[in-house]
Amino acid sequence: EDQVTQSPEALRLQEGESSSLNCSYTVSGLRGLFWYRQDPGKGPEFLFTLYSAGEEKEKERLKATLTKKESFLHITAPKPEDSATYLCAVQEGYGGSQGNLIFGKGTKLSVKP
Amino acid sequence: DTEVTQTPKHLVMGMTNKKSLKCEQHMGHRAMYWYKQKAKKPPELMFVYSYEKLSINESVPSRFSPECPNSSLLNLHLHALQPEDSALYLCASSHALGLATEQFFGPGTRLTVL
């Protein structure tokens, strides 16, 4: 069973059409939830860290929120340059994998002009 | 400065070659990581170094050999690789292991094994 599930797998938007990406998780004791953006053939670019339910972070057209079971990445009025794969990762607080990031499979976002 | 650098950007090698991937960070981070990423998949953790000591080895074949010469450098030595080892190899660093701090990734090395 996946510990981090992202949906949808792919999302196509028109420029200016706002939407949300979902990341649900089932881990023991969340230490942190991380959002990354990855362009093809490049390394993931760090976007946000969220630590506790109710927390929100914003950066330009992106806003990340966190509940006890899931996180959302809201994209407001996206532009074509927002096209990328968005990865969600969680860090557990218990067990032998402390410090390891558990990645979801990502959401591939395409924004058409 | 949140930059992690990796060299080379691209590498093509035969199955009998020996090569090395290099990674460097100057953020004062004490944890460094190697990941392998296949197309359309998330990164998979290979090795973790904490304070220059190997902390986590995720059952990676011995044809991959990591080395951490100092707190800023991380190498991955490659020998007798297989075509299925072709992938994007990512280096990352974070303040320390076990803390809920973000990892910063390098641009990656695209490895092709012929």
Side-chain angles (χ1 to χ4, degrees), chain A residues 8-55:
Chain A
E9 289 186 15
L11 180 62
R12 288 186 159 193
L13 299 174
Q14 287 297 125
E15 184 172 2
E17 180 187 2
S18 301
S19 188
S20 296
L21 282 54
N22 177 264
C23 172
S24 62
Y25 60 91
T26 55
V27 296
S28 304
L30 180 72
R31 275 183 176 247
L33 185 142
F34 307 88
W35 282 99
Y36 289 86
R37 169 198 170 122
Q38 187 172 26
D39 293 304
K42 304 276 183 69
E45 175 191 347
F46 169 73
L47 294 174
F48 302 109
T49 306
L50 300 167
Y51 295 106
S52 57
E55 192 173 0

Side-chain angles (χ1 to χ4, degrees), chain B residues 32-102:
Chain B
M32 296 186 76
Y33 311 78
W34 279 116
Y35 288 86
K36 173 183 177 179
Q37 187 176 26
K38 301 284 272 186
K40 300 185 180 181
K41 300 285 187 182
E44 297 175 38
L45 184 65
M46 300 174 73
F47 302 105
V48 181
Y49 272 85
S50 178
Y51 288 87
E52 294 121 67
K53 291 189 192 306
L54 184 63
S55 176
I56 297 172
N57 176 346
E58 294 284 331
S59 301
V60 176
S62 60
R63 56 186 184 268
F64 295 92
S65 175
E67 178 196 18
C68 191
N70 60 54
S71 60
S72 300
L73 294 174
L74 186 65
N75 299 322
L76 186 63
H77 303 297
L78 315 172
H79 174 55
L81 294 193
Q82 304 297 310
E84 59 264 29
D85 297 321
S86 298
L88 182 67
Y89 287 84
L90 296 162
C91 173
S93 71
S94 66
H95 281 291
L97 190 63
L99 298 180
T101 60
E102 49 274 3

